[in-house]
């Protein structure tokens, strides 16, 4: 059950497992006192004493704020740490003095204007209103607590109730104060083709952070951070996780102060950011989420996965079996015509595949990546009868039809750019900087957003499209607009995101049947913001099964299997040159939204037989693979083996995946302790006929037999005996 208790001194949010507690201190300072396992009652004295605040002297004096755990810290009045809010008055002064006004609880989950946020009925919302007298600025802190996951979501709405403009120079989404610093900071960082690798290091005095200034959450690092006790492992120990429901430039970092207390903060990246809040205007801060688990990193991920499943991903596809797809990108790149596509699709249909996706190169005069983004009309040289003709042929084969777009982009060589050069993102008088030979549209301009919406809606109405791959292949340069006045140019990166979100929310509402997959040069914009509109994200342009073990392992820290696009591609792999057996490629891709990215006509009969068998099996078990409980077992970051298991919600079926990157001669067989099973149940391994009790599988383990050779893999199905 969720509850919010508000008394004179304390505000307590909780569900059956977690508590989040704030204190109201004289003269109206909102403190953060506790986040962790559920508490029945709480006395603030002990925690305040730890910070040197005597219980008989709760009245706060200026100058000691520096040692006070604060709920939404601002700058300039005695707190010398990095704050969450910087608001500059018209006279230039940037100190901020937020005092508690009132708080109220309500049923349900708050919504945010213009921004994605978690949703759900089984939630309660808390609104805490703070006020700065001098600025005449009201800050409403928003919180939600859910019944089914150990997550607190946060946001804030900042309102200028005065008559002069206020300049917001920082407005963080979340802030968590912890009384000691015995934590490791875990982040997910990488690059194109090696996204979301796991990094873990001990925090120490000073600041450790990750951030993006790219206008996208980025390949380089994810809007996520966890603080885990040094002894916390996958299966045991305390950990706090934080993530943003946001897809643009961000900041996420932990600061250890001189007394060893920690402040974890995240939100919009405040470099090259400010927001002019005119009299009467409001600014809504992107949502942040905080997770607590005392069941290790696997426990933290379980909370994030439940959040994604029940409160982030929405619409028809949120809980539906995702179609097995074949995408033509790695099969043909730009070199295709209708005949070629139909021959690939025909083979796909024969093999039981359900969706054919036409990737880049079908529009304008696009034969390579130098032209045509923005000219979203069919390239008649390749498809003389048009997209509708192709999609009809595909549908006649019994397949669904999907199409690739990169709607946020504009090629300098495009009719659109020739007509509207001012629609490209730019700083006036600066030369364009191209990325992948293309520019980005100015989505801070509502006219451009309207154009993109109408263009997409037109295709969705006319072309028989069941699935859209929404790509975004480069990051911001000269992040500005011809339309914004100079004193608002720093608002551009966030205004771009608001424009993008407005298009996505209109499209997904108008076309609820369509399955959207988000993509950004692979997994360059894999975040809770995009997942709020599109239920799956292309995990990485790297389709090599061994690389994917690491990428999907790291991705699973926050994101569940049903959110990760994962495909079987040709060998030698186009990104790494590695040759892996087809069953390894299938086993690894099976732990996500499964598909193929190759020309099946080029496979041997034997390989096709394996593909057919995999398609049959995946259709049988995909409910479990996508929506079951996912547990990481053996880490590719610690050895040669990657193992994970997905267990059905009723614990009656499970799929175990083990992949070894390099053969280990004369080595003991890998012994893997499983997780998530029912200790009392007896399970049969369908592939081997062996029978084990759940407690043995979880406490002693199982030693699956791997085939010989490098990149060997096995996938086992466990079924509980009646
Ligand atoms: C990006 C995507 C790929 C493919 C290409 C097409 O790199 O990640 O999957 O769609 O663009 O240009």
């Amino acid at each position: 059950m969720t509850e919010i208790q508000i008394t004179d001194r304390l505000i307590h949010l909780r569900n059956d497992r977690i508590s989040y507690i704030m204190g109201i201190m004289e003269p109206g300072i909102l403190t953060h006192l506790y986040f962790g396992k559920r508490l029945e009652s709480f006395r603030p004295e002990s925690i305040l004493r730890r910070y040197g605040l005597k219980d008989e002297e709760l009245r706060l004096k200026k100058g000691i704020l520096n040692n006070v755990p604060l709920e939404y810290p601002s700058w300039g009045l005695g707190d010398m740490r990095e704050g969450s809010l910087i608001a500059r008055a018209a006279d230039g002064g940037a100190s901020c003095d937020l005092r508690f006004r009132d708080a109220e609880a309500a049923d349900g989950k708050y919504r945010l204007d213009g921004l994605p946020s978690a949703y759900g009925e089984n939630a309660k919302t808390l609104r805490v209103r703070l006020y700065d007298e001098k600025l005449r600025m009201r800050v409403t802190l928003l919180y939600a607590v859910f019944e089914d996951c150990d997550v607190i979501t946060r946001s804030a709405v900042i309102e200028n109730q005065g008559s002069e403009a206020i300049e917001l120079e920082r407005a963080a989404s979340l802030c968590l104060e912890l009384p000691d610093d015995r934590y490791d900071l875990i982040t997910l960082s990488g690059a194109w083709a090696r996204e979301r690798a796991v990094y873990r290091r001990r925090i120490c005095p000073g600041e450790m952070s990750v951030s993006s200034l790219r206008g996208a959450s980025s390949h380089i690092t994810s809007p996520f951070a966890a603080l885990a006790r040094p002894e916390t492992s996958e299966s045991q120990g305390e950990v706090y996780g934080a993530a943003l429901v946001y897809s643009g430039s961000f900041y996420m970092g932990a600061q250890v102060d001189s007394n060893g207390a920690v402040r974890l903060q995240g939100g919009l990246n405040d470099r090259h950011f400010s927001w002019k809040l005119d009299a009467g205007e409001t600014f809504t801060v992107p949502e942040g989420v905080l997770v607590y688990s005392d069941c290790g990193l696997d426990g933290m991920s379980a909370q994030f996965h439940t959040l994604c499943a029940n409160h982030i991903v929405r619409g028809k596809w949120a809980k539906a079996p995702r179609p097995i797809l074949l995408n033509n990108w790695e099969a043909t790149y730009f070199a295709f015509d209708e005949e070629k596509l139909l021959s690939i699709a025909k083979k796909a249909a024969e093999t039981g595949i359900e969706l054919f996706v036409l990737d880049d190169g079908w529009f304008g005069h696009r034969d390579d990546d130098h032209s045509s983004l923005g000219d979203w009309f069919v390239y008649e040289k390749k498809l003389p009868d048009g997209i509708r003709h192709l999609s009809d042929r595909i549908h006649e084969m019994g397949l669904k039809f999907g199409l690739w777009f990169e709607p946020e982009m504009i090629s300098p060589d495009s009719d659109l750019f020739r007509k509207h050069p001012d629609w490209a993102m730019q700083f006036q008088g600066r030369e364009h900087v191209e990325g992948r030979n293309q520019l980005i549209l100015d989505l801070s301009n509502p006219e451009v957003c309207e154009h993109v919406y109408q263009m997409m809606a037109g295709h969705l109405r006319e072309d028989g499209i069941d699935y859209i791959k929404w790509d975004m292949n480069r990051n911001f340069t000269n992040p500005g607009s011809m339309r914004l006045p100079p004193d608002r140019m720093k608002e551009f990166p966030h205004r771009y995101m608001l424009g993008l979100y407005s298009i996505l929310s209109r499209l997904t509402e108008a076309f609820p049947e369509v399955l959207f997959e988000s993509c950004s040069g692979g997994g360059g914009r894999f975040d809770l913001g995009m997942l709020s509109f599109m239920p799956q994200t292309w995990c990485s342009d790297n389709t090599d099964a061994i690389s994917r073990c690491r990428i999907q392992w790291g991705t699973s820290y926050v994101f569940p299997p049903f959110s990760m696009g994962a495909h079987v591609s040709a060998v030698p792999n186009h990104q790494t040159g590695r040759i892996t057996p087809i069953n390894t490629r299938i086993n690894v891709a099976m732990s996500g939204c499964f598909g193929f990215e190759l020309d099946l006509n080029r496979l041997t009969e034997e390989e096709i037989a394996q593909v057919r068998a995999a398609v049959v099996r995946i259709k049988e078990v995909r409910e479990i693979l996508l929506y079951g409980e996912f547990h990481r077992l053996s880490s590719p970051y610690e050895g040669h083996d990657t193992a994970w298991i997905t267990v059905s919600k009723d614990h009656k079926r499970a799929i175990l995946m083990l992949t070894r990157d390099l053969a280990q001669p004369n080595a003991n067989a890998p012994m893997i302790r499983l997780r998530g099973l029912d200790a009392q149940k007896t399970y049969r391994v369908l592939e081997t006929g062996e029978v084990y009790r759940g407690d043995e599988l979880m406490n002693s383990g199982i030693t699956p037999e791997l085939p010989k050779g490098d990149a060997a893999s096995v996938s086992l199905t466990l079924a509980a005996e009646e």
Side-chain angles (χ1 to χ4, degrees):
M1 208 180 63
T2 53
E3 283 172 89
I4 298 178
Q5 288 174 349
I6 303 171
T7 65
D8 289 352
R9 285 177 75 201
L10 293 179
I11 303 175
H12 189 158
L13 292 85
R14 64 185 167 192
N15 67 17
D16 292 339
R17 298 162 305 275
I18 54 163
S19 281
Y20 187 100
I21 304 175
M22 302 165 221
I24 305 154
M25 290 177 66
E26 285 290 334
I29 304 294
L30 190 67
T31 53
H32 177 80
L33 301 180
Y34 178 79
F35 180 38
K37 239 183 149 116
R38 178 186 160 103
L39 301 179
E40 293 310 318
S41 62
F42 185 79
R43 284 173 56 87
E45 284 73 14
S46 296
I47 183 90
L48 292 175
R49 207 175 301 139
R50 174 168 178 91
Y51 290 109
L53 303 167
K54 294 196 201 88
D55 28 350
E56 68 274 17
E57 193 213 353
L58 287 182
R59 169 167 288 275
L60 206 70
K61 293 189 206 102
K62 291 215 170 103
I64 56 169
L65 270 183
N66 200 38
N67 202 21
V68 178
L70 296 166
E71 197 49 44
Y72 201 58
S74 54
W75 179 84
L77 288 178
D79 181 358
M80 311 291 172
R81 297 161 291 182
E82 290 290 344
S84 294
L85 179 70
I86 302 177
R88 195 174 292 278
D91 65 10
S95 61
C96 196
D97 193 3
L98 290 174
R99 301 290 174 91
F100 176 82
R101 277 287 167 91
D102 57 24
E104 68 178 5
D107 286 338
K109 165 71 180 42
Y110 63 84
R111 285 173 189 217
L112 300 179
D113 270 356
L115 284 166
S117 63
Y119 67 95
E121 295 309 311
N122 55 355
K124 282 208 164 53
T125 288
L126 168 72
R127 288 188 175 76
V128 183
R129 282 179 279 266
L130 310 172
Y131 195 74
D132 182 301
E133 288 286 351
K134 179 190 166 188
L135 290 167
R136 295 171 65 194
M137 178 177 73
R138 184 164 86 169
V139 176
T140 305
L141 301 181
L142 297 160
Y143 299 80
V145 56
F146 301 92
E147 213 165 285
D148 57 345
C149 58
D150 301 343
V151 170
I152 300 287
T153 64
R154 291 189 61 168
S155 176
V157 176
I158 303 168
E159 194 179 340
N160 181 354
Q161 298 187 334
S163 53
E164 289 181 301
I166 297 170
E167 197 70 28
L168 293 177
E169 294 179 0
R170 177 180 298 173
S173 300
L174 55 88
C175 175
L176 177 67
E177 305 265 38
L178 296 169
D180 74 84
D181 63 354
R182 213 174 53 78
Y183 290 100
D184 290 343
L185 177 69
I186 301 174
T187 53
L188 300 172
S189 298
W192 174 80
R194 45 186 173 82
E195 294 90 338
R196 289 173 296 285
V198 178
Y199 287 85
R200 181 169 180 159
R201 63 277 195 198
R202 188 74 191 259
I203 54 170
C204 60
E207 238 190 300
M208 283 186 191
S209 64
V210 289
S211 64
S212 162
L213 265 180
R214 294 170 168 260
S217 46
S218 90
H219 299 91
I220 313 305
T221 192
S222 276
F224 156 81
L227 287 172
R229 294 294 186 189
E231 64 276 12
T232 294
S233 64
E234 277 294 336
S235 57
Q236 290 174 26
E238 263 198 310
V239 53
Y240 294 94
L244 300 174
V245 189
Y246 193 62
S247 317
S249 298
F250 73 93
Y251 162 90
M252 186 75 91
Q255 195 187 10
V256 178
D257 74 11
S258 48
N259 293 331
V262 186
R263 178 176 282 179
L264 177 70
Q265 290 187 98
L268 289 170
N269 196 326
D270 63 346
R271 296 217 192 121
H272 309 291
F273 166 83
S274 72
W275 193 278
K276 190 171 166 213
L277 208 56
D278 274 327
E281 285 184 348
T282 57
F283 180 81
T284 305
V285 169
E287 185 165 74
V289 306
L290 290 167
V291 166
Y292 172 77
S293 172
D294 62 353
C295 300
L297 301 174
D298 205 48
M300 171 194 75
S301 299
Q303 300 308 325
F304 275 122
H305 293 186
T306 307
L307 177 81
C308 287
N310 297 347
H311 304 288
I312 293 286
V313 172
R314 47 204 99 195
K316 170 182 167 176
W317 291 100
K319 300 233 160 43
R322 308 289 169 77
I324 298 178
L325 67 78
L326 185 139
N327 177 306
N328 77 308
W329 179 239
E330 288 195 15
T332 66
Y333 294 101
F334 294 101
F336 58 82
D337 55 21
E338 189 177 281
E339 195 189 334
K340 174 94 197 156
L341 297 177
L342 290 176
S343 83
I344 297 173
K346 184 161 173 275
K347 191 78 181 173
E350 283 167 16
T351 340
I353 289 167
E354 298 158 305
L355 163 66
F356 175 81
V357 180
L358 171 53
D359 209 278
D360 195 355
W362 60 266
F363 51 90
H365 59 278
R366 190 147 160 110
D367 287 314
D368 53 36
D369 59 17
H370 283 75
S371 80
S372 304
L373 296 168
D375 295 349
W376 300 105
F377 44 81
V378 75
Y379 189 7
E380 285 178 0
K381 187 181 93 182
K382 293 185 191 178
L383 300 170
D385 298 319
I387 289 291
R388 182 73 212 207
H389 184 263
L390 175 67
S391 80
D392 286 346
R393 296 291 82 75
I394 299 285
H395 284 138
E396 280 161 18
M397 291 178 188
L399 292 166
K400 290 183 182 303
F401 176 69
L403 198 56
W404 179 96
F405 284 88
E406 204 181 350
E408 298 160 69
M409 297 294 151
I410 180 166
S411 301
D413 177 7
S414 67
D415 292 353
L416 187 70
F417 186 71
R418 282 181 282 273
K419 193 164 169 212
H420 295 288
D422 55 318
W423 280 11
M425 177 183 297
Q426 59 195 284
F427 287 143
Q428 200 160 8
R430 279 268 169 239
E431 246 180 64
H432 283 301
V433 181
E434 292 177 18
R436 207 194 188 202
N437 315 301
Q438 65 200 50
L439 306 174
I440 307 180
L441 283 169
D442 169 10
L443 296 191
S444 76
N445 180 349
E447 194 188 351
V448 177
C449 293
E450 185 60 29
H451 169 83
V452 172
Y453 173 79
Q454 293 302 345
M455 178 278 291
M456 290 300 297
H459 281 287
L460 284 165
R461 275 192 295 267
E462 305 297 326
D463 288 337
I465 298 170
D466 306 294
Y467 159 108
I468 294 276
K469 179 171 170 188
W470 183 294
D471 210 341
M472 194 265 193
N473 275 322
R474 59 153 297 182
N475 293 147
F476 289 9
T477 48
N478 287 332
S481 164
M482 297 295 273
R483 234 185 99 262
L484 283 176
D487 62 343
R488 288 193 178 270
M489 207 58 92
K490 280 177 149 186
E491 298 173 11
F492 178 82
H494 184 56
R495 283 190 182 273
Y496 179 96
M497 295 316 302
L498 295 176
L500 173 63
Y501 289 145
S502 75
I503 300 170
L504 294 178
S505 104
R506 282 176 76 187
L507 276 176
T508 48
E509 250 168 59
F511 301 94
E513 300 294 314
V514 174
L515 172 60
F516 284 85
E517 178 154 349
S518 166
C519 175
S520 175
R525 204 166 55 180
F526 203 145
D527 54 66
L528 298 175
M530 294 314 278
L531 280 179
S532 302
F533 300 101
M534 311 198 197
Q536 55 194 65
T537 299
W538 180 225
C539 208
S540 176
D541 274 349
N542 187 345
T543 50
D544 173 75
I546 297 305
S547 303
R548 275 298 188 114
C549 285
R550 296 172 79 90
I551 295 169
Q552 291 174 208
W553 176 281
T555 303
S556 77
Y557 269 49
V558 184
F559 306 104
F562 70 75
S563 67
M564 297 184 212
H567 300 170
V568 173
S569 61
V571 287
N573 178 270
H574 295 192
Q575 293 78 37
T576 62
R578 193 168 7 233
I579 295 177
T580 54
I582 193 153
N583 89 304
T584 302
R585 284 173 271 154
I586 290 170
N587 289 350
V588 175
M590 206 163 80
S591 315
C593 297
F594 183 77
F596 294 87
E597 186 127 350
L598 44 68
D599 185 349
L600 291 168
N601 294 304
R602 295 199 195 147
L603 296 189
T604 62
E605 275 309 308
E606 198 189 320
E607 286 171 325
I608 282 291
Q610 292 189 60
V611 167
R612 273 211 181 88
V615 167
V616 170
R617 176 165 180 235
I618 288 164
K619 285 181 183 169
E620 263 169 37
V621 293
R622 67 181 147 192
E623 294 274 350
I624 306 172
L625 287 166
L626 294 171
Y627 299 112
E629 293 165 6
F630 180 84
H631 302 276
R632 294 177 297 269
L633 303 172
S634 296
S635 169
Y637 295 88
E638 287 168 7
H640 291 285
D641 297 340
T642 304
W644 52 57
I645 191 168
T646 324
V647 183
S648 67
K649 293 240 151 60
D650 61 7
H651 300 161
K652 286 189 178 158
R653 302 265 281 191
I655 318 288
L656 169 68
M657 194 287 307
L658 167 67
T659 296
R660 174 166 282 190
D661 57 2
L662 290 175
Q664 300 301 303
N666 188 24
N668 287 344
M671 187 151 183
I672 306 164
R673 286 179 174 188
L674 308 188
R675 273 207 293 282
L677 302 175
D678 183 335
Q680 315 295 330
K681 281 193 164 57
T682 304
Y683 293 90
R684 179 176 296 273
V685 181
L686 298 186
E687 289 76 8
T688 63
E690 286 172 331
V691 173
Y692 302 86
R693 250 175 68 106
D695 56 355
E696 181 186 345
L697 289 168
M698 292 194 289
N699 297 312
S700 172
I702 186 172
T703 48
E705 263 188 67
L706 281 167
K708 270 208 160 132
D710 289 343
S713 177
V714 62
S715 166
L716 299 178
T717 318
L718 278 65
E721 307 253 80
E722 290 309 324

